[in-house]
Amino acid sequence: MNYEPSSPLVSRLPPGLHVFFTPRQTGPEAKVCDALRQLFSPDLKCHSVHQSFSSPPILSGRFSSAATYQYYQPLPSILHFQTWLAKEFCPGEFAGRCPNEAASLAYASYVDIDFDAISHAVTATAVWRAGIAPKAGVDHLRAEKVKDGDRLEVGVLMPEKPGDDKPESLKLGGWLAVAGEDDHASKYRYAKPINPRADDLSEPTVFSFPSRHHPLPRANPLTFTSSFNQPTGLHPEIVLSFPSQHLKPPKDEPSCALHTYLTLPSALFLDQYQLEDPALLAANNLIAIRSLSGEQDLEAPDWVVTQWGSAALIELASPPTKTANTWNVTIPTHLRYLGSPETENGSAIHHVDLHLPVPIVFWACKAEEGLKMSVNPFDRVNLGYDGLFGPKTMFYHVPAASPTDADASPFLELELKVPVMETRWGGIVQAGTLVTVVVGFLMVAVGLFRGLGGETNRRKGSKGAKKA
């Protein structure tokens, strides 16, 4: 669902299942695909790490947290994951707090799961947008230890305005407490614990740390909408639309550049050579394609592609002057041939619905020298695009238009109706294609021989005329 992120949780990814994986240096290949099918869906297009995952190009070697492999699949529901979670952690329970918490994940804006192979620690993070508690069946917040030996730390924090001398920092105020150890909330100021008296708990508590991900300034209400140019045909064009009067960098810094990051399923792809044409880039308000990874075969049909798809980072142009018009950026894509799935009664269909995640848009700006980005406890890494920039890059995220705006989808996805062919006609099409190619080759060859024969006759005639 489309949601308005709250600081410091402002980083974004296109909706769907994203997996970033770095294998160990030694040992057999991890059975990641088996785990993904067990956790999320048995229908995932995942065979093995080497077949189905892609390797993003890392442009900055100093960014050591970037993952080696990447995988993506659209995932309209996490019901399969919720069911597995309830079976594993709530055995025999069909009602109560534990299964209810698993069910509440259906309303989460995003769920992050991180596994550290060295410490064998699993960190799970779920984020709900404001006002979702009644829909998720949560009337109040309650945190409990699962086992007596567990450590439970509870924090109540609110974003605050950073100081004018630290515009690249995020600032949070509130209280922290460790369950079973503190009889009242402990106050922290700039990450240093202070033991407060019971009567001074109303004093502000502050965390301040530099951050890579930021929302746009309040004075810049920039949003964007996305759509397909109609009619789409077999070469759909993604259009990103911006209000020109708000399309300005968040910082007065010449290094700031507007980017979009796309994750395209295997049925859709970009032509890298087409996007290297300066005339086409200028006509579509594009600067350059900065990175393209994943499946790039321009001819293969979808049913023979083993990789999940492709990811692209594209730098966008902005209007040279402020106008009241809409600024449109067009990204040309191409469809692969899709097979026609059979219905329950055995008949075939002629169109399938392809769901494409709405790309994310952000300004990438250079941070101040000497700023340490590694101290943010809320930072998210391995987002696919962050490793394509240097470690001193700040991302100012442009939100998608809210559902109340015109032509905006609340589900952050674009739907495309794709014509497909019945698979039983595949052999006939292959044979027909082969015959057409052979006949065309013979026609060209005959034309060349005729032209060569005519040229030879003309040369003989000219020599006879000279002798005469």
Side-chain angles (χ1 to χ4, degrees):
M1 292 287 289
N2 197 359
Y3 70 99
E4 183 177 353
S6 300
S7 180
L9 306 173
V10 296
S11 59
R12 287 183 176 271
L13 271 174
L17 173 64
H18 296 263
V19 181
F20 300 94
F21 169 65
T22 299
R24 293 181 176 179
Q25 297 298 326
T26 59
E29 179 180 327
K31 298 181 179 179
V32 178
C33 288
D34 294 341
L36 294 178
R37 284 193 292 268
Q38 180 184 2
L39 291 176
F40 297 101
S41 173
D43 300 325
L44 290 181
K45 186 179 180 179
C46 190
H47 308 287
S48 68
V49 172
H50 293 292
Q51 284 183 300
S52 302
F53 282 60
S54 63
S55 297
I58 306 303
L59 305 184
S60 174
R62 295 182 298 169
F63 202 87
S64 59
S65 62
T68 305
Y69 293 106
Q70 176 181 358
Y71 177 82
Y72 169 81
Q73 282 292 300
L75 195 68
S77 170
I78 60 170
L79 179 60
H80 195 87
F81 174 69
Q82 293 173 271
T83 304
W84 176 87
L85 201 65
K87 288 181 179 179
E88 290 293 325
F89 294 92
C90 316
E93 296 185 41
F94 301 97
R97 181 180 63 86
C98 184
N100 286 345
E101 289 187 358
S104 68
L105 292 178
Y107 297 91
S109 298
Y110 67 83
V111 179
D112 278 353
I113 303 174
D114 181 67
F115 172 70
D116 190 335
I118 299 177
S119 63
H120 289 210
V122 178
T123 303
T125 305
V127 176
W128 289 266
R129 67 185 187 275
I132 199 63
K135 293 183 180 180
V138 181
D139 297 328
H140 58 278
L141 297 176
R142 181 182 178 88
E144 298 180 1
K145 294 182 180 180
V146 178
K147 294 183 294 185
D148 292 338
D150 294 341
R151 175 184 172 87
L152 176 62
E153 187 173 3
V154 180
V156 181
L157 304 170
M158 292 290 291
E160 297 185 4
K161 183 179 179 181
D164 295 336
D165 59 332
K166 296 183 178 180
E168 297 176 331
S169 296
L170 294 179
K171 192 175 181 181
L172 299 175
W175 287 266
L176 297 177
V178 178
E181 299 181 14
D182 299 328
D183 55 357
H184 54 263
S186 298
K187 185 175 71 172
Y188 289 73
R189 183 179 298 276
Y190 296 102
K192 295 182 180 180
I194 302 175
N195 295 322
R197 302 188 309 272
D199 58 352
D200 67 357
L201 289 179
S202 59
E203 295 183 7
T205 297
V206 176
F207 280 96
S208 181
F209 43 82
S211 178
R212 295 185 305 153
H213 299 276
H214 291 262
L216 290 177
R218 293 182 178 272
N220 187 1
L222 177 66
T223 60
F224 75 95
T225 59
S226 56
S227 61
F228 282 113
N229 264 339
Q230 299 296 330
T232 57
L234 294 178
H235 305 280
E237 294 180 333
I238 302 174
V239 180
L240 304 179
S241 301
F242 304 87
S244 298
Q245 66 272 24
H246 300 311
L247 195 56
K248 56 183 180 180
K251 296 174 58 179
D252 187 13
E253 172 65 46
S255 66
C256 289
L258 187 65
H259 292 79
T260 183
Y261 181 72
L262 296 87
T263 50
L264 304 177
S266 59
L268 207 63
F269 66 94
L270 297 175
D271 186 345
Q272 179 179 0
Y273 306 101
Q274 180 188 22
L275 292 174
E276 291 176 352
D277 181 4
L280 181 139
L281 293 173
N284 292 306
N285 294 328
L286 304 174
I287 297 296
I289 179 168
R290 298 303 184 188
S291 173
L292 180 61
S293 62
E295 184 58 58
Q296 299 179 37
D297 192 318
L298 305 183
E299 302 295 338
D302 187 56
W303 58 81
V304 303
V305 173
T306 59
Q307 285 193 336
W308 63 268
S310 57
L313 177 70
I314 302 176
E315 184 176 347
L316 311 180
S318 55
T321 58
K322 295 181 181 180
T323 64
N325 299 325
T326 300
W327 181 256
N328 293 325
V329 175
T330 304
I331 304 173
T333 66
H334 307 272
L335 279 168
R336 298 188 186 276
Y337 293 111
L338 304 180
S340 174
E342 293 187 352
T343 59
E344 294 181 357
N345 59 6
S347 61
I349 59 177
H350 301 285
H351 291 82
V352 296
D353 292 331
L354 181 64
H355 297 277
L356 176 71
V358 169
I360 63 168
V361 178
F362 56 87
W363 292 93
C365 304
K366 183 179 178 181
E368 293 181 357
E369 292 294 334
L371 200 63
K372 296 181 178 180
M373 296 290 190
S374 59
V375 297
N376 183 356
F378 301 96
D379 197 12
R380 296 172 75 195
V381 296
N382 288 332
L383 299 177
Y385 56 87
D386 51 355
L388 303 176
F389 295 87
K392 296 298 181 68
T393 302
M394 299 178 60
F395 304 99
Y396 290 86
H397 293 267
V398 180
S402 65
T404 57
D405 293 338
D407 302 325
S409 170
F411 295 102
L412 290 177
E413 65 179 15
L414 301 175
E415 185 173 329
L416 185 64
K417 191 172 291 293
V418 181
V420 294
M421 179 187 67
E422 298 182 28
T423 53
R424 60 192 179 95
W425 296 104
I428 298 177
V429 171
Q430 288 180 347
T433 302
L434 178 61
V435 170
T436 302
V437 172
V438 171
V439 171
F441 173 77
L442 292 176
M443 292 175 63
V444 172
V446 170
L448 289 175
F449 281 119
R450 285 181 177 176
L452 183 60
E455 181 66 21
T456 302
N457 293 332
R458 284 194 296 272
R459 288 180 179 178
K460 290 181 178 179
S462 62
K463 289 182 180 180
K466 289 182 179 179
K467 289 181 180 180

